Amino acid sequence: MQGKLRIKAVYVVVLIGALLAIFLIFRLWTGNVKEPASFGFGKTATASEIAAVDFDIRPDGKGLPAGSGTADTGRLIYIAKCASCHGENGKEVKGIKLPGPPLVTGTAKSKAKTIGNYWPYATTLFDYLKRTMPYNAPGSLTDNEVYSLTAYLLSANKVIKENAIINAQSLPNVVMPAKKLFVIDDRKGGNEVK
Amino acid sequence: MEEPNEEPAKKGNKISRRKLLGGALAAAIVPVTASFAKYVQTGVEVSVDPTKVQGVPPGTVGKRSPFENPLRKPSDISSRTPLQDFFSTITPSDLHFERHHAGIPNIDSEKYELLIHGMVKRPMKFTLADLKLFPSFTRTCFIECAGNFRTGKEEMTPQEILGLTSQSEWTGVMLSTLLREVGVDPKAKWFLAEGGDAALLTRSIPIEKGWDDAMIVYGQNGEAIRPAQGYPARLLLPGWEGNTNVKWIRRIEISDEPYMTREETSKYTYPVNGKIRMFSFEMDARSIITYPSFPQKVERGWIEIRGIAWSGRGKIVKVEVSTDAGKSWNVAKLQEPVLEKAHTYFRFLWQWTGGETEILSRAVDETGYIQPSLKQLIEARGADLGGYHMNPVTAWRIKRDGSVLFKPEKYK
């Protein structure tokens, strides 16, 4: 009885050993080397290197800098730096094609998509202006200028009161009229047209 | 010095020998023996029998035949690829469609860096040389602009209707390899991809795509990626709308929320039954017949109908062609190998007896999705269709005289 068990155990050990050997040889053969956890290429980025390029803003306000602005100041900056392309008041002018798209909701007849009737988040405006406007001098606006322009464009679209102060605390709380319209695509393919 | 490519040569034009040989040979003949030079220099303006003169010597960079002149069609914001000029599915790199929001930046590859930070163990930056050290991978797939569809008049070419899609063989590093290198927090759900152009274009991408088949590519059809396609490196998200394949990528920030950037809210969204649909990443299956098409003319007899079909959700499993205005459908032959998320060439042999008719194609992908008609799209989404993610079946009218016209269908 005892002897038979021992023989069985030896069998099992030999079998496992053989399988392991076959597996290792196979791996050498196919050159199928597992990728290491780290290759060690590239360098650690420092906090100041990241700060120099990381100025994106999330809807919860993460990323908004210090500073503030109001529509009054924003309107003056708009006239000086934006009106040449987006028009005197940012509204669509029938029959005239301006270099930039309309930004302010006009009469009921105008079908133009604007900040007031199409943009779901107010934080996007700060992020976008700081990133790339004015088109002819991207990245040239100071944070206070961006806050002021954001306040002006939100106020011109009647989303906020004329005298509201826009800063890191107030901007994420602005509820945009179009927010309720947005739905996330849930299509997954299959025999269905949606 | 005359360049063979300077002016579009018309088929059948006699080509002068000076034009054909170019300046390179003229310079090269100087040290050659007198008897050889005599042959080369006789009869400068006669039409050349290519079997009777020596051809152009070897050179450093090739050129197209002076008899071929495929061109993109640029507008202010994009440039369309000449789909009707291609015999197969790889788009020559210099004819790949273009779409950018602030022009093509001039980026010094020596100064280029990709920064990956946010919800990671170790924020890191990679030079182009670093990226090339990682295990590399090559795949062929299409990139298509989400706004790829124009209609409106009969005199439209495939290029004008659907010229915002192109296919390349891309080479680079799997994004998953880089994500492992920086140690992504398991709680991360999204990443922001940012381009290094004057738009600093940004898109939020679900992190699953990063672990799945996303790549950072630096190679296009075997050579360095073209400036218009993102030199020195771009994000490649196979099957996803063009805008998410951020070119000139300079930064990836790992996050637990989307950023709701302008490109994913004000742009690349579209009305669906009174609502606005966002984050439509995958490109729906579609197809187009590229031959015969406007402004070509056909003759009675055998015609091989040709075209391309593709789906952002996987492989094309079937393309059907109708030659009787959609009354009946025939299965077209697919050119093997059929690749996932790739332009797939199809062919269908047809005998035209000279009657007026319409020819159409429709694609079916491996999820079972069947390319819809415009009517089906309107029924599903409402009459106020936007310009994005529009993939209706399109038809060509064959007139009795053999002329081919696009069949524009009204919407809005």
Side-chain angles (χ1 to χ4, degrees), chain B residues 116-322:
Chain B
I116 307 185
H117 69 112
M119 293 173 69
V120 299
K121 271 208 203 89
R122 180 181 165 208
M124 291 186 75
K125 50 182 194 166
F126 303 98
T127 63
L128 184 63
D130 291 334
L131 292 177
K132 289 178 181 170
L133 291 176
F134 284 99
S136 59
F137 187 74
T138 297
R139 91 170 283 168
T140 298
C141 63
F142 72 84
I143 294 182
E144 182 185 16
C145 176
N148 190 22
F149 178 57
R150 288 283 176 281
T151 177
K153 60 174 198 248
E154 288 189 313
E155 297 80 16
M156 286 178 87
T157 62
Q159 175 168 26
E160 288 163 322
I161 301 160
L162 273 192
L164 296 179
T165 186
S166 293
Q167 174 143 297
S168 304
E169 185 193 77
W170 302 101
T171 299
V173 48
M174 296 303 296
L175 184 56
S176 56
T177 303
L178 299 179
L179 295 182
R180 265 194 295 277
E181 196 70 22
V182 297
V184 168
D185 185 328
K187 289 198 285 289
K189 291 202 175 67
W190 293 79
F191 68 86
L192 184 78
E194 181 179 84
D197 59 339
L200 285 178
L201 186 133
T202 43
R203 285 295 304 254
S204 309
I205 311 294
I207 194 90
E208 298 90 62
K209 186 71 173 172
W211 291 115
D212 179 18
D213 59 358
M215 295 174 71
I216 300 294
V217 293
Y218 44 75
Q220 179 184 8
N221 298 332
E223 61 172 338
I225 201 166
R226 298 265 164 154
Q229 264 62 66
Y231 184 83
R234 82 180 298 170
L235 181 63
L236 181 74
L237 303 179
W240 284 24
E241 63 177 12
N243 184 256
T244 63
N245 292 253
V246 176
K247 296 189 285 277
W248 316 293
I249 188 157
R250 72 163 196 180
R251 189 169 72 91
I252 287 178
E253 182 169 1
I254 315 289
S255 164
D256 52 359
E257 271 182 36
Y259 288 76
M260 301 300 179
T261 71
R262 180 255 190 175
E263 304 302 326
E264 57 211 23
T265 55
S266 161
K267 298 286 159 215
Y268 302 96
T269 57
Y270 51 104
V272 173
N273 298 324
K275 296 279 183 181
I276 301 164
R277 187 187 277 164
M278 73 188 314
F279 293 136
S280 284
F281 292 121
E282 287 161 320
M283 297 306 293
D284 299 316
R286 78 179 333 163
S287 64
I288 183 167
I289 292 171
T290 53
Y291 178 82
S293 62
F294 177 81
Q296 296 150 352
K297 268 196 142 189
V298 290
E299 308 228 326
R300 248 170 253 224
W302 290 104
I303 294 172
E304 185 176 68
I305 296 176
R306 301 171 185 151
I308 47 169
W310 63 101
S311 166
R313 292 197 176 86
K315 285 184 182 165
I316 289 294
V317 292
K318 187 160 78 173
V319 177
E320 293 172 307
V321 170
S322 172

Side-chain angles (χ1 to χ4, degrees), chain A residues 138-156:
Chain A
S140 62
L141 300 171
T142 66
D143 288 341
N144 280 338
E145 283 179 312
V146 179
Y147 273 124
S148 299
L149 284 163
T150 302
Y152 168 67
L153 289 171
L154 290 174
S155 150

Side-chain angles (χ1 to χ4, degrees), chain A residues 35 37-45 49-50 53-60 62 113 118-121 124 127-128 131-132 135 138 180-185 187-194, chain B residues 101 115 117 122-126 130 133-135 180-181 192 194 198-200 202 251 253 255-262 265-266 269-270 275-280 284 313 367-369 380-381:
Chain A
E35 284 193 5
S38 166
F39 285 95
F41 308 142
K43 287 200 182 69
T44 303
E49 282 169 342
I50 297 170
V53 286
D54 174 17
F55 46 81
D56 47 57
I57 315 293
R58 292 201 321 197
D60 60 4
K62 184 168 171 274
K113 291 172 183 169
Y118 203 84
W119 287 45
Y121 297 96
T124 310
D127 177 276
Y128 182 75
R131 208 165 268 296
T132 187
Y135 197 76
K180 55 183 183 296
L181 298 175
F182 277 76
V183 289
I184 290 181
D185 193 355
R187 295 172 310 145
K188 294 265 182 292
N191 186 7
E192 176 184 41
V193 178
K194 254 176 96 176
Chain B
H101 287 255
L115 171 67
H117 69 112
R122 180 181 165 208
M124 291 186 75
K125 50 182 194 166
F126 303 98
D130 291 334
L133 291 176
F134 284 99
R180 265 194 295 277
E181 196 70 22
L192 184 78
E194 181 179 84
L200 285 178
T202 43
R251 189 169 72 91
E253 182 169 1
S255 164
D256 52 359
E257 271 182 36
Y259 288 76
M260 301 300 179
T261 71
R262 180 255 190 175
T265 55
S266 161
T269 57
Y270 51 104
K275 296 279 183 181
I276 301 164
R277 187 187 277 164
M278 73 188 314
F279 293 136
S280 284
D284 299 316
R313 292 197 176 86
T367 71
Y369 178 84
R381 298 180 186 173

Side-chain angles (χ1 to χ4, degrees), chain A residues 1-13:
Chain A
M1 206 55 192
Q2 277 280 348
K4 261 192 184 165
L5 262 183
R6 199 168 301 146
I7 289 168
K8 260 193 189 157
V10 170
Y11 260 138
V12 170
V13 169

